[in-house]
Amino acid sequence: MHDDQALKDYGADSPFLYLGKVHKLHELIGPEEGSAEELRLRLKKFYFSGLKKLVNERIVPYQTQLRVKPKKIEIVESANKWGSCTSGKVLAFNYRLAMAPVEVIDYVIVHELCHLLHMNHDRSFWRRLGGVMPDYKGKEAFLAAYGHRMTL
């Protein structure tokens, strides 16, 4: 994986993804005062808090449907995972998911909730996931195709 950071422009009108749509930087974090690194950190903070709020809202109906509840939800930085679930029922979501469309974020939420029932990717896991979200393969394909573009 190469480092896109040197190629990124943090000007007011620079394009950044949020919830699957392109926005200008100043629309997401306000006036563009500061160095490129300061702006990058402000944007990262924006993604962390935006995703936390969204996940906390959107997870509720899926928890009810699956009859599971995580002990804790965290937003993290990860180089290679969109989400994770520990045996202690802690769900973690990569802050870069904030750049994906909401339905893709929902897929990762459901995927991790299903791990509360099945800690591996056995047939039961995929059956359960498919029962809640029959079109999950399209969302996986989106992350595989575009995930590398969801960077700061």
Side-chain angles (χ1 to χ4, degrees):
M1 199 166 139
H2 64 283
D3 188 8
D4 284 336
Q5 201 171 320
L7 307 172
K8 287 280 188 184
D9 177 14
Y10 289 88
D13 292 334
S14 298
F16 285 90
L17 287 169
Y18 183 58
L19 303 183
K21 293 184 174 47
V22 176
H23 296 270
K24 293 178 179 176
L25 181 64
H26 73 89
E27 295 170 341
L28 300 176
I29 64 169
E32 69 295 341
E33 296 159 9
S35 67
E37 180 58 13
E38 288 167 336
L39 294 171
R40 191 181 79 77
L41 290 173
R42 275 179 49 205
L43 184 60
K44 189 181 203 178
K45 201 171 177 181
F46 169 81
Y47 285 136
F48 263 86
S49 62
L51 186 63
K52 177 100 175 153
K53 185 175 184 293
L54 188 77
V55 168
N56 283 332
E57 290 168 3
R58 300 199 61 88
I59 201 168
V60 175
Y62 296 118
Q63 284 179 171
T64 304
Q65 187 176 356
L66 289 163
R67 295 190 188 97
V68 295
K69 189 164 173 49
K71 277 201 171 69
K72 189 176 178 191
I73 296 167
E74 299 175 337
I75 307 303
V76 299
E77 183 168 3
S78 173
N80 56 3
K81 287 183 178 180
W82 293 111
S84 64
C85 173
T86 70
S87 56
K89 298 188 177 195
V90 175
L91 302 188
F93 298 94
N94 189 330
Y95 81 92
R96 293 185 304 122
L97 267 177
M99 299 176 205
V102 172
E103 59 273 15
V104 173
I105 297 169
D106 283 353
Y107 157 70
V108 179
I109 290 171
V110 173
H111 184 111
E112 299 312 327
L113 284 173
C114 285
H115 278 312
L116 295 174
L117 299 164
H118 307 280
M119 277 308 284
N120 54 25
H121 290 119
D122 63 7
R123 252 200 319 243
S124 306
F125 169 88
W126 293 110
R127 224 182 350 259
R128 190 71 183 170
L129 177 60
V132 175
M133 190 170 279
D135 60 344
Y136 74 86
K137 286 185 180 173
K139 276 104 170 153
E140 282 185 332
F142 177 91
L143 288 171
Y146 300 106
H148 69 284
R149 292 186 183 171
M150 297 189 306
T151 60
L152 281 187

